Amino acid sequence: MRVAFPATAYLDPTTPRSWSGLPFFIRRTLEAEGIETVVVPLADSGRLGSLLRFAAWRLRGRRYLRGCENRRLRGYARQLEGLLPDLGVDAIFSASSWMTAYLATELPVYFWTDACFAGMVDF
């Protein structure tokens, strides 16, 4: 089985220094089980606007999750949709639901999470 593994600077499965090493060790475990992984680097879009929104929320004493912005999530989906046909993968695995939230594909999509979005509202 061959699986696409999307990567961002925050969730990079090629280094144990990314997000406490979780994406790295998940990828390593998948490969130890005979699943070939294809790391698909994704670029962040709209970083300046994101930083400005983050700063505005922080000034009001609130937390802002830049990684969950609709614009960014849709950008990840567009990038993946454009790359998938050439990768020859059987499925997609993500270390978060962020990168696959708006993904339109016939391939099976799997992701790891420790909390659902509904549980994080007003957290």
Side-chain angles (χ1 to χ4, degrees):
M1 177 178 245
R2 187 173 158 97
V3 175
F5 201 126
T8 65
Y10 181 67
L11 296 164
D12 184 352
T14 64
T15 176
R17 296 174 194 249
S18 174
W19 199 35
S20 301
L22 187 72
F24 175 82
F25 289 105
I26 289 174
R27 178 177 171 230
R28 192 165 87 173
T29 301
L30 290 172
E31 290 180 345
E33 293 300 318
I35 298 171
E36 181 184 355
T37 61
V38 178
V39 176
V40 183
L42 302 175
D44 287 335
S45 60
R47 294 186 89 173
L48 179 59
S50 178
L51 288 172
L52 293 174
R53 282 186 291 281
F54 174 77
W57 278 59
R58 289 299 266 187
L59 288 173
R60 292 182 276 168
R62 302 204 54 207
R63 187 168 180 213
Y64 184 75
L65 297 175
R66 292 179 285 179
C68 295
E69 288 182 321
N70 281 332
R71 180 177 181 182
R72 179 172 293 184
L73 300 182
R74 289 180 196 281
Y76 291 151
R78 279 192 308 273
Q79 289 176 62
L80 268 173
E81 288 165 3
L83 296 169
L84 283 174
D86 298 329
L87 297 178
V89 295
D90 304 303
I92 301 154
F93 177 85
S94 177
S96 167
S97 61
W98 296 358
M99 293 169 278
T100 59
Y102 291 102
L103 183 62
T105 182
E106 294 294 321
L107 294 172
V109 178
Y110 304 95
F111 66 90
W112 180 92
T113 187
D114 62 350
C116 64
F117 278 106
M120 299 302 293
V121 172
D122 295 326
F123 173 72

